[in-house]
Every structure is written in structure tokens, then in C-alpha cells.
Amino acid sequence: AYIEKLKEWTGSENRWVRRASAVSLIIPAKKGLFKEDIFQIANKLLLDTDDLVQKGYGWMLKSACNNYEEDVYRYVLSKRDIMHRTALRDAREKMSREKKKEAMKKEKEEEEGGGGEGGGEGGGGGTNCGWLFCDRKTAQSRGSCRYRCHYC
């Protein structure tokens, strides 16, 4: 009944209730509990535009990495082109360096043979690195975004 209530909360108009549907499962996720329910709730919150809800379900997925890293990795890969970057960054935080890099790539970049995260100063052209405030798409001539984020 508790889990079903959390799933109902994902449809609430209140951002804090939607966020609570995910963050309520952080401790159980760390203990390896409710795996399927975690992914169901993540699916329901996947396209939520509220940044605090995104951070909440990204945090839940990050916690699930303790016991289900490969499952979270596959989930992130399957959703990375529609998943908000805020949630994606949080979800990948405990993954290995290679998995983190792969998770941040856009499917389109892979098809073109392009690159992943940033590319350092002066590299990468017009690809946004994925950092929330990065404006690298519009900073092609400078080679890095005006925020000098750690990806660029």
C-alpha cells in the first residue's frame, strides 16, 4: 500500500509531493529494496519539468546504483535522449568513469561519431556539454561556454 501511494504521488500537482515520491525511496534503494518500483516511479517522473523533482528522482536512481548499477546504467542509456540532464547527472554520479561518459552522450552524437562530454578548452564545437547552465551551443567560436563549466 505504501509503494502504491508513492506511485500515486507522482501525478500530484504539488512539486513537493512528486519529489517525495522519489526521495522517499532513497534509503530503501541503498539497501537494495523496491528495484522495480524505483524504475516505475522514475518512468512516471521522467518528463517532469520541475528541477527539484528531476533532482529527486536522479538522487533515487543514484542510490539504486549501490546495488543495481548495471540496471540503472541500462535505464539511463535507454532514456538519456529524453531524460532531463539534471536527473541524468545525478543518476550517473556513482557509476564508473566510462559509464558516466557514455551515459552523458546523446544518441545523435554516437551516430555521428562525435563526442561525449565537452572536450576541454577549445574542443567539441557546438555541442552542449549537458551542464545545466552551459551555453556551449551558442559559443562555438569561443570553444567553451561562458560559465567555464567543468565539462567545457
mmCIF file of all heavy atoms in Angstrom, residues 3-46:
data_model
loop_
_atom_site.group_PDB
_atom_site.id
_atom_site.type_symbol
_atom_site.label_atom_id
_atom_site.label_comp_id
_atom_site.label_asym_id
_atom_site.label_seq_id
_atom_site.Cartn_x
_atom_site.Cartn_y
_atom_site.Cartn_z
ATOM 1 N N ILE A 3 3.943 1.705 -1.248
ATOM 2 C CA ILE A 3 4.543 1.919 -2.567
ATOM 3 C C ILE A 3 3.492 2.420 -3.557
ATOM 4 O O ILE A 3 3.772 3.300 -4.374
ATOM 5 C CB ILE A 3 5.206 0.615 -3.084
ATOM 6 C CG1 ILE A 3 6.441 0.284 -2.246
ATOM 7 C CG2 ILE A 3 5.597 0.737 -4.545
ATOM 8 C CD1 ILE A 3 7.588 1.263 -2.375
ATOM 9 N N GLU A 4 2.295 1.860 -3.475
ATOM 10 C CA GLU A 4 1.229 2.309 -4.386
ATOM 11 C C GLU A 4 0.886 3.770 -4.147
ATOM 12 O O GLU A 4 0.594 4.510 -5.086
ATOM 13 C CB GLU A 4 -0.011 1.421 -4.241
ATOM 14 C CG GLU A 4 0.224 -0.022 -4.672
ATOM 15 C CD GLU A 4 0.884 -0.151 -6.051
ATOM 16 O OE1 GLU A 4 0.450 0.523 -7.008
ATOM 17 O OE2 GLU A 4 1.854 -0.936 -6.160
ATOM 18 N N LYS A 5 0.943 4.197 -2.902
ATOM 19 C CA LYS A 5 0.689 5.596 -2.560
ATOM 20 C C LYS A 5 1.775 6.489 -3.172
ATOM 21 O O LYS A 5 1.487 7.555 -3.720
ATOM 22 C CB LYS A 5 0.630 5.761 -1.037
ATOM 23 C CG LYS A 5 0.194 7.132 -0.586
ATOM 24 C CD LYS A 5 -1.152 7.496 -1.140
ATOM 25 C CE LYS A 5 -2.201 7.568 -0.077
ATOM 26 N NZ LYS A 5 -3.471 8.058 -0.613
ATOM 27 N N LEU A 6 3.028 6.031 -3.094
ATOM 28 C CA LEU A 6 4.125 6.795 -3.695
ATOM 29 C C LEU A 6 3.923 6.933 -5.206
ATOM 30 O O LEU A 6 4.189 7.995 -5.780
ATOM 31 C CB LEU A 6 5.471 6.138 -3.408
ATOM 32 C CG LEU A 6 5.962 6.169 -1.960
ATOM 33 C CD1 LEU A 6 7.309 5.465 -1.843
ATOM 34 C CD2 LEU A 6 6.044 7.583 -1.427
ATOM 35 N N LYS A 7 3.470 5.880 -5.838
ATOM 36 C CA LYS A 7 3.216 5.939 -7.286
ATOM 37 C C LYS A 7 2.098 6.917 -7.606
ATOM 38 O O LYS A 7 2.155 7.615 -8.619
ATOM 39 C CB LYS A 7 2.898 4.540 -7.819
ATOM 40 C CG LYS A 7 4.109 3.623 -7.803
ATOM 41 C CD LYS A 7 3.748 2.223 -8.256
ATOM 42 C CE LYS A 7 4.921 1.282 -8.093
ATOM 43 N NZ LYS A 7 4.578 -0.097 -8.436
ATOM 44 N N GLU A 8 1.096 7.000 -6.740
ATOM 45 C CA GLU A 8 0.018 7.986 -6.917
ATOM 46 C C GLU A 8 0.570 9.402 -6.804
ATOM 47 O O GLU A 8 0.142 10.300 -7.524
ATOM 48 C CB GLU A 8 -1.070 7.789 -5.857
ATOM 49 C CG GLU A 8 -1.958 6.598 -6.075
ATOM 50 C CD GLU A 8 -2.961 6.420 -4.925
ATOM 51 O OE1 GLU A 8 -3.344 7.429 -4.286
ATOM 52 O OE2 GLU A 8 -3.337 5.269 -4.668
ATOM 53 N N TRP A 9 1.509 9.585 -5.880
ATOM 54 C CA TRP A 9 2.072 10.912 -5.656
ATOM 55 C C TRP A 9 2.764 11.467 -6.897
ATOM 56 O O TRP A 9 2.872 12.680 -7.053
ATOM 57 C CB TRP A 9 3.067 10.875 -4.506
ATOM 58 C CG TRP A 9 2.469 10.724 -3.143
ATOM 59 C CD1 TRP A 9 1.156 10.568 -2.820
ATOM 60 C CD2 TRP A 9 3.189 10.695 -1.912
ATOM 61 N NE1 TRP A 9 1.020 10.449 -1.455
ATOM 62 C CE2 TRP A 9 2.246 10.524 -0.881
ATOM 63 C CE3 TRP A 9 4.532 10.791 -1.575
ATOM 64 C CZ2 TRP A 9 2.612 10.453 0.460
ATOM 65 C CZ3 TRP A 9 4.900 10.725 -0.242
ATOM 66 C CH2 TRP A 9 3.944 10.562 0.760
ATOM 67 N N THR A 10 3.227 10.610 -7.793
ATOM 68 C CA THR A 10 3.923 11.086 -8.993
ATOM 69 C C THR A 10 3.021 11.943 -9.874
ATOM 70 O O THR A 10 3.514 12.733 -10.669
ATOM 71 C CB THR A 10 4.488 9.922 -9.835
ATOM 72 O OG1 THR A 10 3.412 9.106 -10.286
ATOM 73 C CG2 THR A 10 5.500 9.106 -9.056
ATOM 74 N N GLY A 11 1.711 11.794 -9.721
ATOM 75 C CA GLY A 11 0.768 12.573 -10.523
ATOM 76 C C GLY A 11 0.235 13.810 -9.823
ATOM 77 O O GLY A 11 -0.635 14.503 -10.362
ATOM 78 N N SER A 12 0.749 14.111 -8.658
ATOM 79 C CA SER A 12 0.277 15.267 -7.893
ATOM 80 C C SER A 12 0.597 16.580 -8.596
ATOM 81 O O SER A 12 1.594 16.688 -9.320
ATOM 82 C CB SER A 12 0.926 15.265 -6.504
ATOM 83 O OG SER A 12 0.594 16.451 -5.804
ATOM 84 N N GLU A 13 -0.215 17.589 -8.348
ATOM 85 C CA GLU A 13 0.070 18.926 -8.863
ATOM 86 C C GLU A 13 1.150 19.605 -8.023
ATOM 87 O O GLU A 13 1.795 20.537 -8.488
ATOM 88 C CB GLU A 13 -1.196 19.777 -8.862
ATOM 89 C CG GLU A 13 -2.198 19.330 -9.902
ATOM 90 C CD GLU A 13 -3.433 20.221 -9.946
ATOM 91 O OE1 GLU A 13 -3.350 21.389 -9.517
ATOM 92 O OE2 GLU A 13 -4.463 19.737 -10.419
ATOM 93 N N ASN A 14 1.360 19.132 -6.821
ATOM 94 C CA ASN A 14 2.322 19.722 -5.903
ATOM 95 C C ASN A 14 3.720 19.157 -6.175
ATOM 96 O O ASN A 14 3.951 17.953 -6.065
ATOM 97 C CB ASN A 14 1.899 19.418 -4.457
ATOM 98 C CG ASN A 14 2.758 20.100 -3.433
ATOM 99 O OD1 ASN A 14 3.972 20.173 -3.561
ATOM 100 N ND2 ASN A 14 2.122 20.579 -2.379
ATOM 101 N N ARG A 15 4.656 20.018 -6.503
ATOM 102 C CA ARG A 15 6.023 19.590 -6.829
ATOM 103 C C ARG A 15 6.672 18.831 -5.684
ATOM 104 O O ARG A 15 7.448 17.916 -5.901
ATOM 105 C CB ARG A 15 6.877 20.792 -7.213
ATOM 106 C CG ARG A 15 7.239 21.656 -6.009
ATOM 107 C CD ARG A 15 7.837 22.987 -6.305
ATOM 108 N NE ARG A 15 9.151 22.934 -6.894
ATOM 109 C CZ ARG A 15 9.917 24.006 -7.060
ATOM 110 N NH1 ARG A 15 9.488 25.194 -6.674
ATOM 111 N NH2 ARG A 15 11.095 23.895 -7.598
ATOM 112 N N TRP A 16 6.379 19.222 -4.445
ATOM 113 C CA TRP A 16 7.000 18.594 -3.282
ATOM 114 C C TRP A 16 6.484 17.179 -3.071
ATOM 115 O O TRP A 16 7.230 16.300 -2.636
ATOM 116 C CB TRP A 16 6.793 19.451 -2.034
ATOM 117 C CG TRP A 16 7.408 20.801 -2.216
ATOM 118 C CD1 TRP A 16 6.747 21.985 -2.384
ATOM 119 C CD2 TRP A 16 8.803 21.101 -2.308
ATOM 120 N NE1 TRP A 16 7.643 22.999 -2.567
ATOM 121 C CE2 TRP A 16 8.917 22.485 -2.517
ATOM 122 C CE3 TRP A 16 9.957 20.342 -2.241
ATOM 123 C CZ2 TRP A 16 10.144 23.122 -2.652
ATOM 124 C CZ3 TRP A 16 11.188 20.979 -2.372
ATOM 125 C CH2 TRP A 16 11.261 22.351 -2.577
ATOM 126 N N VAL A 17 5.249 16.957 -3.419
ATOM 127 C CA VAL A 17 4.682 15.604 -3.307
ATOM 128 C C VAL A 17 5.296 14.717 -4.390
ATOM 129 O O VAL A 17 5.675 13.573 -4.124
ATOM 130 C CB VAL A 17 3.139 15.636 -3.398
ATOM 131 C CG1 VAL A 17 2.557 14.237 -3.451
ATOM 132 C CG2 VAL A 17 2.554 16.430 -2.228
ATOM 133 N N ARG A 18 5.411 15.249 -5.617
ATOM 134 C CA ARG A 18 6.047 14.471 -6.691
ATOM 135 C C ARG A 18 7.486 14.145 -6.329
ATOM 136 O O ARG A 18 7.946 13.018 -6.507
ATOM 137 C CB ARG A 18 5.992 15.235 -8.018
ATOM 138 C CG ARG A 18 4.593 15.393 -8.570
ATOM 139 C CD ARG A 18 4.568 15.875 -10.013
ATOM 140 N NE ARG A 18 5.443 16.975 -10.336
ATOM 141 C CZ ARG A 18 5.158 18.268 -10.181
ATOM 142 N NH1 ARG A 18 3.984 18.636 -9.671
ATOM 143 N NH2 ARG A 18 6.016 19.201 -10.542
ATOM 144 N N ARG A 19 8.212 15.125 -5.798
ATOM 145 C CA ARG A 19 9.603 14.891 -5.379
ATOM 146 C C ARG A 19 9.658 13.845 -4.271
ATOM 147 O O ARG A 19 10.512 12.953 -4.283
ATOM 148 C CB ARG A 19 10.234 16.206 -4.906
ATOM 149 C CG ARG A 19 11.662 16.047 -4.424
ATOM 150 C CD ARG A 19 12.225 17.398 -3.993
ATOM 151 N NE ARG A 19 13.418 17.275 -3.186
ATOM 152 C CZ ARG A 19 14.652 17.240 -3.652
ATOM 153 N NH1 ARG A 19 14.867 17.300 -4.947
ATOM 154 N NH2 ARG A 19 15.683 17.142 -2.831
ATOM 155 N N ALA A 20 8.731 13.937 -3.331
ATOM 156 C CA ALA A 20 8.696 12.987 -2.211
ATOM 157 C C ALA A 20 8.460 11.556 -2.687
ATOM 158 O O ALA A 20 8.934 10.607 -2.061
ATOM 159 C CB ALA A 20 7.623 13.397 -1.204
ATOM 160 N N SER A 21 7.748 11.400 -3.794
ATOM 161 C CA SER A 21 7.511 10.045 -4.310
ATOM 162 C C SER A 21 8.828 9.351 -4.642
ATOM 163 O O SER A 21 8.944 8.133 -4.524
ATOM 164 C CB SER A 21 6.595 10.076 -5.532
ATOM 165 O OG SER A 21 7.232 10.655 -6.646
ATOM 166 N N ALA A 22 9.820 10.130 -5.030
ATOM 167 C CA ALA A 22 11.135 9.567 -5.353
ATOM 168 C C ALA A 22 12.064 9.532 -4.138
ATOM 169 O O ALA A 22 12.646 8.499 -3.833
ATOM 170 C CB ALA A 22 11.787 10.369 -6.483
ATOM 171 N N VAL A 23 12.181 10.655 -3.436
ATOM 172 C CA VAL A 23 13.171 10.708 -2.354
ATOM 173 C C VAL A 23 12.788 9.814 -1.178
ATOM 174 O O VAL A 23 13.661 9.423 -0.396
ATOM 175 C CB VAL A 23 13.473 12.160 -1.880
ATOM 176 C CG1 VAL A 23 14.065 12.976 -3.012
ATOM 177 C CG2 VAL A 23 12.263 12.829 -1.302
ATOM 178 N N SER A 24 11.526 9.442 -1.084
ATOM 179 C CA SER A 24 11.108 8.507 -0.032
ATOM 180 C C SER A 24 11.752 7.133 -0.213
ATOM 181 O O SER A 24 11.815 6.349 0.728
ATOM 182 C CB SER A 24 9.595 8.343 -0.025
ATOM 183 O OG SER A 24 8.966 9.553 0.315
ATOM 184 N N LEU A 25 12.221 6.865 -1.411
ATOM 185 C CA LEU A 25 12.811 5.554 -1.693
ATOM 186 C C LEU A 25 14.342 5.554 -1.689
ATOM 187 O O LEU A 25 14.966 4.546 -2.016
ATOM 188 C CB LEU A 25 12.294 5.032 -3.036
ATOM 189 C CG LEU A 25 10.836 4.594 -3.030
ATOM 190 C CD1 LEU A 25 10.388 4.199 -4.435
ATOM 191 C CD2 LEU A 25 10.626 3.447 -2.064
ATOM 192 N N ILE A 26 14.950 6.656 -1.300
ATOM 193 C CA ILE A 26 16.418 6.721 -1.309
ATOM 194 C C ILE A 26 17.037 5.718 -0.344
ATOM 195 O O ILE A 26 17.918 4.946 -0.730
ATOM 196 C CB ILE A 26 16.901 8.162 -1.038
ATOM 197 C CG1 ILE A 26 16.580 9.019 -2.258
ATOM 198 C CG2 ILE A 26 18.385 8.189 -0.716
ATOM 199 C CD1 ILE A 26 16.796 10.495 -2.062
ATOM 200 N N ILE A 27 16.591 5.696 0.882
ATOM 201 C CA ILE A 27 17.150 4.756 1.871
ATOM 202 C C ILE A 27 16.847 3.308 1.473
ATOM 203 O O ILE A 27 17.761 2.476 1.442
ATOM 204 C CB ILE A 27 16.643 5.062 3.302
ATOM 205 C CG1 ILE A 27 17.038 6.477 3.723
ATOM 206 C CG2 ILE A 27 17.143 4.016 4.290
ATOM 207 C CD1 ILE A 27 18.517 6.748 3.808
ATOM 208 N N PRO A 28 15.599 2.977 1.112
ATOM 209 C CA PRO A 28 15.354 1.602 0.652
ATOM 210 C C PRO A 28 16.184 1.235 -0.585
ATOM 211 O O PRO A 28 16.652 0.110 -0.711
ATOM 212 C CB PRO A 28 13.861 1.597 0.334
ATOM 213 C CG PRO A 28 13.278 2.665 1.179
ATOM 214 C CD PRO A 28 14.342 3.727 1.248
ATOM 215 N N ALA A 29 16.384 2.208 -1.485
ATOM 216 C CA ALA A 29 17.184 1.938 -2.692
ATOM 217 C C ALA A 29 18.622 1.589 -2.318
ATOM 218 O O ALA A 29 19.220 0.683 -2.902
ATOM 219 C CB ALA A 29 17.157 3.147 -3.623
ATOM 220 N N LYS A 30 19.174 2.289 -1.339
ATOM 221 C CA LYS A 30 20.537 1.995 -0.890
ATOM 222 C C LYS A 30 20.646 0.595 -0.312
ATOM 223 O O LYS A 30 21.706 -0.020 -0.344
ATOM 224 C CB LYS A 30 20.973 3.019 0.169
ATOM 225 C CG LYS A 30 21.288 4.372 -0.391
ATOM 226 C CD LYS A 30 21.723 5.320 0.710
ATOM 227 C CE LYS A 30 22.011 6.690 0.146
ATOM 228 N NZ LYS A 30 22.437 7.635 1.192
ATOM 229 N N LYS A 31 19.534 0.098 0.210
ATOM 230 C CA LYS A 31 19.513 -1.234 0.805
ATOM 231 C C LYS A 31 19.138 -2.312 -0.207
ATOM 232 O O LYS A 31 19.029 -3.480 0.140
ATOM 233 C CB LYS A 31 18.534 -1.260 1.979
ATOM 234 C CG LYS A 31 18.959 -0.366 3.117
ATOM 235 C CD LYS A 31 17.945 -0.378 4.238
ATOM 236 C CE LYS A 31 18.391 0.528 5.377
ATOM 237 N NZ LYS A 31 17.418 0.550 6.473
ATOM 238 N N GLY A 32 18.904 -1.917 -1.446
ATOM 239 C CA GLY A 32 18.579 -2.883 -2.486
ATOM 240 C C GLY A 32 17.122 -3.298 -2.523
ATOM 241 O O GLY A 32 16.793 -4.349 -3.072
ATOM 242 N N LEU A 33 16.245 -2.475 -1.986
ATOM 243 C CA LEU A 33 14.818 -2.795 -1.938
ATOM 244 C C LEU A 33 14.047 -2.058 -3.041
ATOM 245 O O LEU A 33 14.481 -1.020 -3.521
ATOM 246 C CB LEU A 33 14.246 -2.411 -0.568
ATOM 247 C CG LEU A 33 14.925 -3.039 0.651
ATOM 248 C CD1 LEU A 33 14.402 -2.409 1.932
ATOM 249 C CD2 LEU A 33 14.710 -4.540 0.656
ATOM 250 N N PHE A 34 12.911 -2.614 -3.423
ATOM 251 C CA PHE A 34 11.940 -1.968 -4.327
ATOM 252 C C PHE A 34 12.507 -1.626 -5.710
ATOM 253 O O PHE A 34 12.147 -0.604 -6.291
ATOM 254 C CB PHE A 34 11.353 -0.704 -3.686
ATOM 255 C CG PHE A 34 10.719 -0.922 -2.352
ATOM 256 C CD1 PHE A 34 11.239 -0.326 -1.209
ATOM 257 C CD2 PHE A 34 9.590 -1.721 -2.219
ATOM 258 C CE1 PHE A 34 10.659 -0.522 0.032
ATOM 259 C CE2 PHE A 34 9.000 -1.916 -0.984
ATOM 260 C CZ PHE A 34 9.532 -1.325 0.141
ATOM 261 N N LYS A 35 13.370 -2.463 -6.237
ATOM 262 C CA LYS A 35 14.014 -2.178 -7.523
ATOM 263 C C LYS A 35 13.010 -1.846 -8.633
ATOM 264 O O LYS A 35 13.126 -0.799 -9.278
ATOM 265 C CB LYS A 35 14.881 -3.370 -7.943
ATOM 266 C CG LYS A 35 15.548 -3.208 -9.281
ATOM 267 C CD LYS A 35 16.438 -4.393 -9.570
ATOM 268 C CE LYS A 35 16.180 -4.918 -10.933
ATOM 269 N NZ LYS A 35 16.983 -6.069 -11.276
ATOM 270 N N GLU A 36 12.055 -2.708 -8.855
ATOM 271 C CA GLU A 36 11.097 -2.479 -9.942
ATOM 272 C C GLU A 36 10.267 -1.217 -9.708
ATOM 273 O O GLU A 36 9.974 -0.466 -10.637
ATOM 274 C CB GLU A 36 10.181 -3.698 -10.126
ATOM 275 C CG GLU A 36 10.929 -4.957 -10.559
ATOM 276 C CD GLU A 36 11.773 -4.758 -11.812
ATOM 277 O OE1 GLU A 36 11.298 -4.105 -12.772
ATOM 278 O OE2 GLU A 36 12.919 -5.242 -11.836
ATOM 279 N N ASP A 37 9.900 -0.985 -8.461
ATOM 280 C CA ASP A 37 9.107 0.198 -8.123
ATOM 281 C C ASP A 37 9.901 1.482 -8.360
ATOM 282 O O ASP A 37 9.347 2.491 -8.797
ATOM 283 C CB ASP A 37 8.637 0.126 -6.667
ATOM 284 C CG ASP A 37 7.770 -1.093 -6.414
ATOM 285 O OD1 ASP A 37 6.747 -1.246 -7.110
ATOM 286 O OD2 ASP A 37 8.124 -1.907 -5.539
ATOM 287 N N ILE A 38 11.183 1.430 -8.084
ATOM 288 C CA ILE A 38 12.049 2.591 -8.309
ATOM 289 C C ILE A 38 12.033 2.976 -9.787
ATOM 290 O O ILE A 38 11.886 4.149 -10.132
ATOM 291 C CB ILE A 38 13.481 2.298 -7.802
ATOM 292 C CG1 ILE A 38 13.484 2.326 -6.277
ATOM 293 C CG2 ILE A 38 14.498 3.269 -8.391
ATOM 294 C CD1 ILE A 38 14.729 1.763 -5.636
ATOM 295 N N PHE A 39 12.158 1.989 -10.659
ATOM 296 C CA PHE A 39 12.160 2.286 -12.092
ATOM 297 C C PHE A 39 10.776 2.722 -12.576
ATOM 298 O O PHE A 39 10.670 3.566 -13.470
ATOM 299 C CB PHE A 39 12.686 1.090 -12.889
ATOM 300 C CG PHE A 39 14.160 0.873 -12.689
ATOM 301 C CD1 PHE A 39 14.632 -0.267 -12.060
ATOM 302 C CD2 PHE A 39 15.088 1.816 -13.100
ATOM 303 C CE1 PHE A 39 15.990 -0.464 -11.858
ATOM 304 C CE2 PHE A 39 16.457 1.629 -12.901
ATOM 305 C CZ PHE A 39 16.901 0.487 -12.279
ATOM 306 N N GLN A 40 9.727 2.194 -11.981
ATOM 307 C CA GLN A 40 8.381 2.634 -12.345
ATOM 308 C C GLN A 40 8.164 4.095 -11.955
ATOM 309 O O GLN A 40 7.613 4.876 -12.736
ATOM 310 C CB GLN A 40 7.326 1.748 -11.680
ATOM 311 C CG GLN A 40 7.244 0.366 -12.271
ATOM 312 C CD GLN A 40 6.311 -0.554 -11.495
ATOM 313 O OE1 GLN A 40 5.595 -0.131 -10.599
ATOM 314 N NE2 GLN A 40 6.333 -1.833 -11.842
ATOM 315 N N ILE A 41 8.610 4.458 -10.771
ATOM 316 C CA ILE A 41 8.474 5.853 -10.332
ATOM 317 C C ILE A 41 9.355 6.763 -11.192
ATOM 318 O O ILE A 41 8.928 7.849 -11.600
ATOM 319 C CB ILE A 41 8.784 5.978 -8.822
ATOM 320 C CG1 ILE A 41 7.613 5.374 -8.033
ATOM 321 C CG2 ILE A 41 9.031 7.433 -8.423
ATOM 322 C CD1 ILE A 41 7.806 5.267 -6.547
ATOM 323 N N ALA A 42 10.558 6.322 -11.499
ATOM 324 C CA ALA A 42 11.431 7.107 -12.382
ATOM 325 C C ALA A 42 10.758 7.325 -13.738
ATOM 326 O O ALA A 42 10.808 8.433 -14.287
ATOM 327 C CB ALA A 42 12.776 6.416 -12.553
ATOM 328 N N ASN A 43 10.114 6.305 -14.272
ATOM 329 C CA ASN A 43 9.398 6.449 -15.542
ATOM 330 C C ASN A 43 8.283 7.477 -15.454
ATOM 331 O O ASN A 43 8.070 8.256 -16.373
ATOM 332 C CB ASN A 43 8.811 5.106 -15.993
ATOM 333 C CG ASN A 43 9.812 4.263 -16.735
ATOM 334 O OD1 ASN A 43 10.742 4.765 -17.338
ATOM 335 N ND2 ASN A 43 9.630 2.956 -16.681
ATOM 336 N N LYS A 44 7.560 7.469 -14.342
ATOM 337 C CA LYS A 44 6.443 8.406 -14.181
ATOM 338 C C LYS A 44 6.931 9.851 -14.037
ATOM 339 O O LYS A 44 6.227 10.781 -14.403
ATOM 340 C CB LYS A 44 5.587 8.014 -12.981
ATOM 341 C CG LYS A 44 4.797 6.736 -13.221
ATOM 342 C CD LYS A 44 3.987 6.355 -11.998
ATOM 343 C CE LYS A 44 3.244 5.065 -12.263
ATOM 344 N NZ LYS A 44 1.831 5.161 -11.990
ATOM 345 N N LEU A 45 8.134 10.025 -13.510
ATOM 346 C CA LEU A 45 8.684 11.366 -13.302
ATOM 347 C C LEU A 45 9.637 11.788 -14.418
ATOM 348 O O LEU A 45 10.134 12.914 -14.424
ATOM 349 C CB LEU A 45 9.406 11.431 -11.955
ATOM 350 C CG LEU A 45 8.545 11.193 -10.717
ATOM 351 C CD1 LEU A 45 9.412 11.133 -9.460
ATOM 352 C CD2 LEU A 45 7.463 12.254 -10.579
ATOM 353 N N LEU A 46 9.879 10.915 -15.357
ATOM 354 C CA LEU A 46 10.883 11.108 -16.395
ATOM 355 C C LEU A 46 10.781 12.456 -17.105
ATOM 356 O O LEU A 46 11.784 13.126 -17.324
ATOM 357 C CB LEU A 46 10.789 9.970 -17.415
ATOM 358 C CG LEU A 46 11.815 9.942 -18.527
ATOM 359 C CD1 LEU A 46 13.216 9.721 -17.963
ATOM 360 C CD2 LEU A 46 11.483 8.851 -19.522
#
